[in-house]
Structure formats: structure tokens, C-alpha cells
Amino acid sequence: MTLSVCLIVKDEQDVIGRCLNCVCKFADEIIVVDTGSTDMTVAEVMKFTDKVYFFKWCDDFSAARNFAFEFATCDLVMWLDADDVITDENCKKISDLKYAFDGYDMAVLPYAAAFDGDTPTLVYSRERIFRRSGNYRFSGAVHEAVVPRGKILYSDAAVYHKKVKENEPMRNLRILQKIIAGGGELDERQKFYYGRELLFNKMFREAACVLEDFLLGDGWSVNKTEACLNLYCAYKNLGKEERAIGALLRSFTVAAPCSQACCILGEYFMAKQEWTASAYWYETALKAAENGAFGSFVNLDYGGFIPYMQLCVLYDKLGNYEKAAECNDAAGRIKPENVNYLSNKKYFEKLGIRGKNK
């Protein structure tokens, strides 16, 4: 099968070449839609493809992406952002996917959005490649998505989102509020992201109201889990600790416990010097299986490094030094150059204790 890769761009001269150098390793067709660049973005794009089109920006990311899809001619269609990067290994995996697509309608791939050095720490799944004949289209003016349908192929071919500049801080919030002011209604997914945008812009009271309303609806469970974590942050910043903890516990009623919620509870009890209760929640964080469902956010540190490091401290306080050393060793296997791990290692070596966790 052949693959069209579609991008929408604006003022991306610093990163677009980096992205397209990856894309040309597996794409049969590259389509780029410019939404109003004033720099040398288009000139950079023309080094890779002559299929460049122009779209008058209308505060609607879905409209721009769908416009790009209209020009695709290959069997499969894939979308990317200009600041995405794909390793050679993952380029090979995507190229192989073209030959593994028989019987499938769309493919979901990991999207890494935060890093510790070159190691991904925040990963979530995104709908990424579609059979063109399925006429898949994006919806949502911001935080746009394609609703999954048909037979889905799940792949480990990851795309790395490597931003080099920040977006306009109020852009997404402005677009969503423009829809509301014009009498439009936000669907459940857009409502979730509206609450998040309010939170990110420190409008905590408004964020709490929107997120509470979202949790009463029928949105995706993975979004509800994240909404509970966001609601915790909103109430925490409003000085309402009991409501904040209540929001956190509420996340356990919409989906299986997530590691991040467990770690926050561990931190809560740690601050109260309730070491045993704190250790329970950090141990639970290690056991909490991230469901990896479509669209879920998975901060990998909360499922490994953070709980191991905190358990090292807690077991030390509880007098279980061998267990503390084992936890420190486990953290070190995840981040062997971490200064806290190395400092703890020296501490235990002075005590004559070495971890036994293999």
C-alpha cells in the first residue's frame, strides 16, 4: 500500500526540514498545507515536495487538516505536526506498517510529548494512519481528533513531538471561547479540553466549574480520569484541599487507578508524616497498570522512577534499610545518572547495605 503524509504549517522554518527529513524515509506522497506563514517555511517545504497548498486560517484546526486530506491520493493517509520527529527505527516500523495494513481501517501509534533527555516521559496514543477510502475526518476546532472506528491496528511505532517554541498562550482558550460566544456548543471532548485550557491559564475557579460539568457527562473514561487529576489541581490552587483529594479519589470511580493519582496520594500522606500510608500508595502506583487506552495520557515517571525514589525514602524512615536500598536500585535502573539515586547509593554503601532487587 502507498502512504500520503499530510501536515498543516505556519511559520515553521526552524523545524519543518527536520520533520520532512524523517517523513521522506517512508512517505510515497507529502502534502503540506500552509495556513499563513510569513517566514521561509514554504521555501523549506519545497525542497521536499511540490504539493504545497494554502488555506485561509479560520481558527479551526480540523478544517485545515481535513483540507489537507482532500489532496491525498495514496491508499493510506497519515497526519503529523511540523515539530514532530521520528527516529530511524520508527521510520522503518511505519514503512513496514504499509504492508501490514490488510484488513485494518486505521492505526493508532504512541505519541511522546515530554522527555527526560531523549527518553520519553509522557506518552499517549493518537489515531495516526487511516485508509483513505474510509473518508476519515477530524473534528474539533482545537485539540482536534478523528473518532476511532473500524478495525484498529495498534503499533509501537512512536512519533516524538519535539517543540522548539511555545504556542500563543491564550490561542486555544480564545478559539474555544469564540465558539461559545457565537452560540456554539462544545462536545464532551472539547468541554474537557476547555477545562484544561482554563486550568493552564490559571483560571482555577472557572476550570473547576467546567471540569465538574464534564464529569457529569458521557465523555471518554480516559478523559474523565485526566479531568479528575486536573480538578485536583484546580481545587488545590483554590486552597480547597478536601475537595482536591475528593477529586483525586473520584478518578478511581471512572477507571482503574492510574499511577499519577496514586503518587499524589502518596505525597499527601508523606507530607503528613504518615509513612506507612504513604508507602501503600506508592506501592500501589507501581502495581497500577496504565490501561494504554486510546487517548490516555501516561506519565511514565509516575509508574516507576518516582514511586521507587519515594519508597526508598519511606522505607528508610520506617527502618527497613534493605528494602529502601532495593527501591533505590530499581530507580537507578530507570535513570542511572540521576543525582538523587547516586547520592542514595553512596548513603547505603556507607551503611554496608546493597539492594537485592533483581
Side-chain angles (χ1 to χ4, degrees):
M1 288 191 175
T2 54
L3 176 65
S4 300
V5 177
C6 301
L7 300 90
I8 60 173
V9 300
K10 180 181 179 181
D11 294 335
E12 303 286 4
Q13 66 178 16
D14 295 332
V15 293
I16 190 61
R18 182 186 68 176
C19 177
L20 294 181
N21 267 314
C22 302
V23 171
C24 65
K25 296 173 184 176
F26 55 81
D28 299 289
E29 177 180 62
I30 300 174
I31 294 165
V32 177
V33 168
D34 187 88
T35 63
S37 294
T38 57
D39 63 3
M40 298 300 293
T41 296
V42 173
E44 287 295 314
V45 169
M46 293 291 288
K47 296 176 183 178
F48 297 88
T49 180
D50 60 356
K51 295 188 176 182
V52 181
Y53 305 94
F54 298 91
F55 179 83
K56 185 176 181 180
W57 183 243
C58 59
D59 283 342
D60 190 329
F61 282 90
S62 284
R65 291 205 189 275
N66 293 336
F67 180 77
F69 274 18
E70 293 296 330
F71 295 99
T73 63
C74 293
D75 303 307
L76 304 174
V77 184
M78 177 180 184
W79 68 274
L80 286 171
D81 284 334
D83 47 7
D84 288 339
V85 179
I86 306 173
T87 65
D88 286 344
E89 178 185 4
N90 286 314
C91 284
K92 175 66 166 57
K93 289 180 179 180
I94 293 172
S95 185
D96 291 343
L97 275 181
K98 294 191 291 183
Y99 306 101
F101 225 87
D102 282 348
Y104 291 97
D105 299 293
M106 62 181 291
V108 170
L109 276 58
Y111 201 24
F115 303 84
D116 182 358
D118 291 326
T119 303
T121 56
L122 178 64
V123 181
Y124 55 101
S125 299
R126 284 302 309 262
E127 69 292 3
R128 183 65 65 180
I129 303 174
F130 316 92
R131 192 179 289 273
R132 186 169 63 90
S133 60
N135 197 35
Y136 288 88
R137 291 296 182 267
F138 282 89
S139 61
V142 296
H143 298 294
E144 66 281 8
V146 175
V147 176
R149 57 180 168 84
K151 189 173 181 182
I152 301 174
L153 172 63
Y154 291 91
S155 169
D156 64 352
V159 175
Y160 289 4
H161 191 54
K162 292 272 194 174
K163 296 174 65 172
V164 298
K165 64 179 181 180
E166 293 300 319
N167 296 329
E168 176 193 339
M170 299 286 286
R171 181 195 67 188
N172 292 345
L173 184 60
R174 174 181 57 77
I175 292 173
L176 291 169
Q177 290 183 331
K178 178 181 175 182
I179 293 171
I180 296 169
E185 290 189 11
L186 304 180
D187 63 22
E188 291 301 314
R189 189 171 185 277
Q190 294 281 286
K191 190 183 295 182
F192 162 62
Y193 279 105
Y194 181 38
R196 283 169 61 86
E197 291 294 339
L198 289 166
L199 177 68
F200 297 158
N201 285 281
K202 303 185 185 305
M203 301 178 187
F204 303 119
R205 195 175 304 279
E206 295 86 348
C209 290
V210 172
L211 292 168
E212 288 280 13
D213 183 55
F214 166 73
L215 287 168
L216 295 175
D218 59 356
W220 294 346
S221 62
V222 291
N223 286 349
K224 286 194 172 187
T225 296
E226 188 70 18
C228 289
L229 295 173
N230 295 153
L231 194 55
Y232 163 83
C233 293
Y235 282 136
K236 183 84 171 174
N237 279 282
L238 289 170
K240 299 180 178 181
E241 187 173 67
E242 287 190 11
R243 284 195 177 185
I245 295 300
L248 207 61
L249 295 173
R250 189 173 177 182
S251 71
F252 300 156
T253 70
V254 297
C258 72
S259 294
Q260 184 174 355
C262 294
C263 283
I264 295 173
L265 285 168
E267 182 181 5
Y268 170 76
F269 283 106
M270 198 174 193
K272 295 165 74 72
Q273 298 188 5
E274 296 184 21
W275 313 132
T276 301
S278 179
Y280 169 83
W281 284 109
Y282 282 117
E283 291 282 9
T284 304
L286 292 173
K287 297 174 184 176
E290 302 289 4
N291 60 27
F294 171 80
S296 61
F297 298 90
V298 180
N299 189 316
L300 301 179
D301 278 350
Y302 285 112
F305 182 76
I306 290 173
Y308 277 128
M309 287 299 293
Q310 296 295 70
L311 285 167
C312 171
V313 175
L314 290 163
Y315 283 122
D316 181 75
K317 289 183 177 296
L318 290 167
N320 191 341
Y321 303 114
E322 289 192 358
K323 182 70 172 176
E326 290 174 9
C327 291
N328 191 58
D329 283 354
R333 283 192 289 275
I334 299 171
K335 297 187 180 183
E337 303 301 321
N338 181 267
V339 293
N340 293 320
Y341 153 70
L342 294 171
S343 176
N344 290 344
K345 184 180 179 182
K346 289 181 180 179
Y347 165 73
F348 290 118
E349 286 174 349
K350 287 180 180 179
L351 294 178
I353 300 172
R354 293 183 181 274
K356 299 179 182 178
N357 185 5
K358 298 181 181 180

